[in-house]
Amino acid sequence: MEEYKHFIHEIIDEELKEGGRCYGQKVHTRFPPEPNGYLHIGHAKALEIDFGTAEKYGGLCNLRMDDTNPTKEDEEYVDAIKEDIHWLGHDWDDRFFYASDYFDKMYEYAVELIKKGLAYVCELTPEQMKDMRGDTTTPAQSPFRDRPIEESLDLFERMKNGEFEDGKLTLRAKIDLASGNFNMRDPVIYRINRIPHHRQGNKWCIYPMYDFAHPIEDALEGITHSLCSLEFEAHRPLYDWVINNVSVPCKPRQIEFARLGITHTVLSKRKLRNLVESGLVAGWDDPRMPTLCGLRRRGYTPESIRAFHARNGVSKVNAVVDFAFLEYCLREDLNTNAQRVMGVVHPVKLILDNYPEGKSETFEVENNPEKPETGKREITFSRELWIEAEDFMEVPEKKYFRLFPGNEVRLKSAYVVKCVGCDKDADGNVIAVHATFDEESRGGNTADGRKIKSTIHWVDAATALDAEIRLYDRLFTVEAPDLADCNYLDFINPDSLEIVKGAKVEASLKNAKPEDRFQFLRLGYFCADNKDFTSDNLVFNRAVSLKDSYKPGN
Ligand code: ATP
Ligand code: MG
């Protein structure tokens, strides 16, 4: 894959010139998802940065469940997260951790801070604390700041032992009540919360705050570079303060990068969960979801997702990327790699009046002209074929060059045929199109060199298989459905899924397997559904159309 501009790598290159960080340790990163939802395309950016940076420098990347907050976690998510990361092509070897396994250590470090006079137990309620935060010109206040060390030690232990109600007491780091950075104004580092933890059960009723917990987790794992998204930038001084004031075994460095935004979707886990729970989509892996399992089911390849992130690069400027660029990356991958097949979504019969009844012949066609090494396959041809209903018009409109009475078209790889008319039912609907074939045009070229303007796809009715085709469109009708002052649910696209039963596909698709991807000629790229596809129930999802609305450089 092409090299891309990556300011984090520039920083690491500089450090390595100076002898490397962390006492000569290898570059060591981590990916720290909170297990409260499935991973999405934005997380994939962080994954590429965390695992990609480790790979580039021959280092290591840990997978760590950031489960210090007891309210929301769920084991279902842990398994899904692991599966998605493996699917993208990354691996953490034996370095899989839970942040909650460090609760004992974190408690010890908190005690260490108290003993050093760097933390104290505060009795302000959340409301009082808010009222006493001060502003840019007035410092914050806490009447408990100068509580004797012994008293704080005793109260903190009793907090741990469950002697106080939720919210009654907090442990605060003693840093700087006048700091211009409000995160440094004696931030709360422990709070009482009597909620059982999904792994620790009822062991704890006090839980560390993220800003205290995260640097400790990193340091305990020997992380050299803690790469995170931009919203943590203003928290970095606190990260460094924690690292420098408790006796952790190493000193990781936090570097922030811009989050990925993408048009026509939402990326917050809360909003995605809401779509699932309200039944607006069929699940986290609904092919319209921007989750990795949704994109996978839709037909996205790991390569296309990685190429997308590589080309977007990494910077400090938050940007919203056009969904069409993700589609462009998929199209490019599948154009090179997908097997070509023929399938008809909205079928109508084409009867070749002069083709002998009962006769059948085969044509050899290339599996993928972009990759001749993938060989050829045989497709059958006979008197009755399926063609796309829209490839016939009894009365052609202007510039319509496909089938209409008197006109000739090429049936892809087979023969040139001339339309002679159609059959209609009592309501006037076309039920069959009639044509004659030109025997001398076998393979698709006329013997006398006369030009044929259009080529259409077809399948042999004698051997065609029935299939269900799911045509997906964007889930939201507008570019930015999650603007702060509107409700994203108002912009759901009511036509984001069209299910077509009774489509006809060529017989070779009998051998397709779930997740196989194909180019259906003239129609787009399709993927055998990874849940519902079986050899007796062919279900294909349209991953992306052939048409390209995206031009690189726009
Ligand atoms: P949400 O706000 O939707 O719950 P999150 O950021 O809390 O998402 P985490 O599970 O904490 O989700 O994310 C794990 C990692 O992925 C974090 O390091 C986070 O910075 C990163 N990440 C999440 N969303 C994006 C995004 N859109 N672009 C880049 N990185 C992201
Ligand atoms: Mg988070």
Side-chain angles (χ1 to χ4, degrees):
M1 198 171 296
E2 62 246 66
E3 273 279 316
Y4 54 102
K5 189 167 162 49
H6 197 319
F7 78 95
I8 295 173
H9 294 168
E10 286 165 13
I11 292 175
I12 295 177
D13 287 340
E14 275 308 303
E15 288 171 349
L16 292 177
K17 263 191 229 155
E18 294 161 10
R21 284 191 60 78
C22 267
Y23 323 107
Q25 225 176 287
K26 276 193 203 172
V27 169
H28 200 150
T29 58
R30 87 287 170 263
F31 177 69
E34 196 178 336
N36 60 349
Y38 283 61
L39 299 182
H40 55 58
I41 184 79
H43 292 116
K45 171 171 179 174
L47 278 165
E48 288 308 299
I49 293 172
D50 293 328
F51 281 94
T53 300
E55 255 164 50
K56 178 176 160 90
Y57 293 96
L60 301 170
C61 180
N62 297 359
L63 174 59
R64 180 200 310 145
M65 295 300 130
D66 197 344
D67 63 348
T68 54
N69 183 350
T71 52
K72 299 171 278 187
E73 285 89 8
D74 193 327
E75 280 303 317
E76 170 201 348
Y77 298 128
V78 174
D79 295 336
I81 287 169
K82 287 178 167 178
E83 182 173 346
D84 289 343
I85 298 174
H86 274 150
W87 177 71
L88 261 193
H90 298 300
D91 186 55
W92 52 89
D93 199 4
D94 59 352
R95 295 175 315 281
F96 173 72
F97 303 105
Y98 285 97
S100 57
D101 285 343
Y102 310 131
F103 279 164
D104 284 304
K105 274 281 178 196
M106 290 172 191
Y107 181 79
E108 282 172 31
Y109 287 132
V111 169
E112 178 186 349
L113 283 179
I114 302 174
K115 285 185 177 160
K116 286 177 170 167
L118 292 174
Y120 58 96
V121 172
C122 181
E123 293 172 34
L124 294 179
T125 62
E127 297 72 43
Q128 288 170 325
M129 210 179 285
K130 207 171 148 211
D131 291 342
M132 297 173 90
R133 267 176 92 221
D135 54 32
T136 43
T137 51
T138 332
Q141 296 170 42
S142 168
F144 304 98
R145 196 167 205 252
D146 295 318
R147 189 192 285 284
I149 289 174
E150 286 310 319
E151 219 177 284
S152 279
L153 281 174
D154 175 58
L155 285 171
F156 188 50
E157 188 173 353
R158 288 166 57 197
M159 278 167 69
K160 183 187 77 158
N161 293 340
E163 289 186 30
F164 306 102
E165 317 154 20
D166 286 10
K168 186 96 176 107
L169 300 177
T170 56
L171 183 69
R172 295 177 71 174
K174 192 169 181 176
I175 307 180
D176 179 3
L177 288 176
S179 175
N181 181 341
F182 280 56
N183 296 312
M184 300 297 272
R185 291 191 172 188
D186 289 12
V188 171
I189 57 174
Y190 261 94
R191 76 210 142 114
I192 306 173
N193 196 358
R194 229 167 286 262
I195 290 183
H197 187 277
H198 77 128
R199 300 189 70 244
Q200 305 286 329
N202 291 314
K203 180 172 177 194
W204 298 91
C205 63
I206 55 170
Y207 290 98
M209 302 300 285
Y210 182 90
D211 283 342
F212 177 67
H214 203 82
I216 292 175
E217 294 156 22
D218 285 342
L220 289 174
E221 291 178 14
I223 300 305
T224 55
H225 297 85
S226 179
L227 311 175
C228 63
S229 38
L230 216 49
E231 69 272 21
F232 294 104
E233 193 168 29
H235 297 249
R236 188 182 345 123
L238 181 50
Y239 184 100
D240 291 339
W241 185 91
V242 172
I243 291 295
N244 289 326
N245 286 289
V246 297
S247 50
V248 285
C250 86
K251 293 190 186 303
R253 170 174 182 181
Q254 175 178 307
I255 304 173
E256 312 84 21
F257 56 83
R259 278 174 102 87
L260 171 82
I262 191 158
T263 63
H264 299 281
T265 191
V266 293
L267 286 184
S268 129
K269 279 188 280 193
R270 183 181 58 77
K271 289 176 183 169
L272 293 174
R273 191 179 318 109
N274 196 15
L275 291 172
V276 174
E277 285 169 0
S278 59
L280 287 163
V281 294
W284 286 96
D285 66 349
D286 185 295
R288 291 164 291 184
M289 292 281 273
T291 49
L292 294 181
C293 53
L295 292 168
R296 172 180 181 176
R297 193 169 171 194
R298 178 80 174 257
Y300 278 80
T301 58
E303 293 75 18
S304 62
I305 292 174
R306 296 179 71 168
F308 170 73
H309 288 297
R311 287 160 177 193
N312 284 328
V314 181
S315 80
K316 283 254 187 199
V317 186
N318 278 323
V320 177
V321 179
D322 196 331
F323 200 94
F325 183 55
L326 182 58
E327 295 181 329
Y328 171 86
C329 293
L330 177 63
R331 218 178 261 123
E332 201 180 56
D333 179 8
L334 295 184
N335 178 47
T336 314
N337 295 307
Q339 148 116 37
R340 272 58 170 168
V341 291
M342 287 201 280
V344 175
V345 178
H346 298 288
V348 69
K349 267 279 171 70
L350 174 68
I351 301 169
L352 301 179
D353 295 338
N354 62 339
Y355 195 92
E357 280 194 56
K359 180 181 167 176
S360 172
E361 62 188 298
T362 56
F363 291 96
E364 266 210 331
V365 294
E366 275 186 298
N367 282 325
N368 180 354
E370 299 284 323
K371 281 196 168 172
E373 68 272 23
T374 56
K376 296 188 173 181
R377 70 184 186 290
E378 288 190 339
I379 52 175
T380 66
F381 184 92
S382 61
R383 180 178 152 92
E384 297 197 2
L385 310 167
W386 295 108
I387 58 166
E388 214 64 66
E390 63 166 38
D391 284 337
F392 170 76
M393 281 187 103
E394 193 178 14
V395 182
E397 38 185 53
K398 255 191 171 168
K399 300 203 175 156
Y400 187 88
F401 301 116
R402 288 169 275 166
L403 284 170
F404 56 85
N407 196 42
E408 282 189 310
V409 303
R410 177 182 298 105
L411 297 176
K412 174 75 184 172
S413 308
Y415 288 107
V416 170
V417 300
K418 182 174 194 170
C419 182
V420 296
C422 64
D423 302 332
K424 291 195 232 173
D425 64 13
D427 299 325
N429 300 312
V430 175
I431 47 174
V433 178
H434 287 268
T436 53
F437 86 112
D438 170 2
E439 197 170 357
E440 305 207 309
S441 65
R442 197 172 198 284
N445 290 319
T446 51
D448 59 5
R450 68 185 188 283
K451 292 251 178 320
I452 305 297
K453 275 210 166 109
S454 291
T455 301
I456 65 173
H457 60 278
W458 53 274
V459 290
D460 179 6
T463 57
L465 304 171
D466 287 320
E468 174 178 324
I469 304 265
R470 300 176 181 167
L471 300 170
Y472 291 101
D473 198 353
R474 306 224 151 115
L475 189 51
F476 292 95
T477 52
V478 295
E479 271 192 23
D482 59 354
L483 287 177
D485 55 346
C486 49
N487 181 357
Y488 62 104
L489 295 177
D490 292 342
F491 301 110
I492 291 274
N493 176 5
D495 302 318
S496 59
L497 169 59
E498 183 193 343
I499 297 178
V500 182
K501 304 213 184 226
K504 303 286 180 185
V505 299
E506 67 171 69
S508 74
L509 287 168
K510 182 87 182 161
N511 301 320
K513 291 182 297 304
E515 259 172 49
D516 280 352
R517 303 172 188 91
F518 301 93
Q519 184 194 99
F520 281 30
L521 286 179
R522 292 178 69 220
L523 297 177
Y525 295 100
F526 290 75
C527 179
D529 189 76
N530 65 13
K531 269 199 176 151
D532 300 334
F533 183 97
T534 64
S535 55
D536 299 318
N537 180 37
L538 310 184
V539 180
F540 294 97
N541 301 323
R542 184 172 65 195
V544 66
S545 63
L546 287 178
K547 258 193 274 118
D548 192 353
S549 57
Y550 186 86
K551 292 190 190 62
N554 270 4

